[in-house]
Amino acid sequence: MPTALDQELRDAGLRVTSGRVALLESLDHLPHSDAETLFRALKEQLPGLSVQSVHNILGDLTTAGIIRRIQPAGSPARYERRTGDNHHHVVCTGCGAISDVDCVVGEAPCLVPSHTHGFAVQQAEVTFWGLCAECQAATVAS
Ligand SMILES: [Zn+2]
Ligand SMILES: [Zn+2]
């Protein structure tokens, strides 16, 4: 029985492998994870897996459009399953935690640049920076 994930991989023109399926499953539970985090989450389930193969799988899935790669300044690349909805991110300057922020107007691009320089703008990617609730609490407590 092909699962929904198998089908998603096939629809994207990718071969179904245990590594790809397992990685997609982990990303459902651990959105905005970097390769290192995903490797740690998967190494028990897939003892033969290397960090390099995680990077390779992430690259393939990103190219195929099944996952999205984001890279806040100062952070390793993070990956998520939520693609194509032009959502944005708020990143904690204290601990690096990332949360999703929905597209401001519901469709891309949700911001109008002050000057387009003649470009037909299709997308806007915004990163909001601040302190997450936990880091704020820690600041108050100390
Ligand atoms: Zn924080
Ligand atoms: Zn996100």
Side-chain angles (χ1 to χ4, degrees), residues 95-110:
C95 68
I98 300 183
S99 289
D100 287 334
V101 176
D102 285 340
C103 176
V104 182
V105 298
E107 60 186 47
C110 73

Side-chain angles (χ1 to χ4, degrees), residues 8-142:
E8 203 174 329
L9 286 166
R10 283 201 193 95
D11 289 347
L14 292 176
R15 212 156 43 86
V16 177
T17 65
S18 55
R20 285 173 177 163
V21 170
L23 202 139
L24 287 174
E25 278 169 353
S26 325
L27 265 186
D28 279 338
H29 304 296
L30 303 163
H32 310 128
S33 289
D34 60 16
E36 194 64 40
T37 305
L38 292 164
F39 171 68
R40 283 200 304 271
L42 288 172
K43 67 177 181 209
E44 263 180 46
Q45 186 183 347
L46 298 167
L49 196 73
S50 66
V51 182
Q52 188 52 49
S53 45
V54 170
H55 279 287
N56 293 344
I57 295 171
L58 288 169
D60 292 342
L61 296 176
T62 306
T63 306
I66 300 183
I67 62 173
R68 175 175 164 194
R69 179 184 197 272
I70 55 166
Q71 185 153 26
S75 160
R78 314 281 195 106
Y79 297 86
E80 66 181 338
R81 291 272 284 141
R82 211 179 141 182
T83 59
D85 64 353
N86 195 55
H87 76 271
H88 308 294
H89 294 100
V90 57
V91 184
C92 179
T93 51
C95 68
I98 300 183
S99 289
D100 287 334
V101 176
D102 285 340
C103 176
V104 182
V105 298
E107 60 186 47
C110 73
L111 293 175
V112 180
S114 50
H115 195 308
T116 61
H117 300 275
F119 283 60
V121 175
Q122 288 160 335
Q123 247 187 26
E125 204 174 298
V126 181
T127 305
F128 301 92
W129 295 88
L131 270 189
C132 74
E134 274 174 40
C135 287
Q136 286 176 61
T139 310
V140 174
S142 60

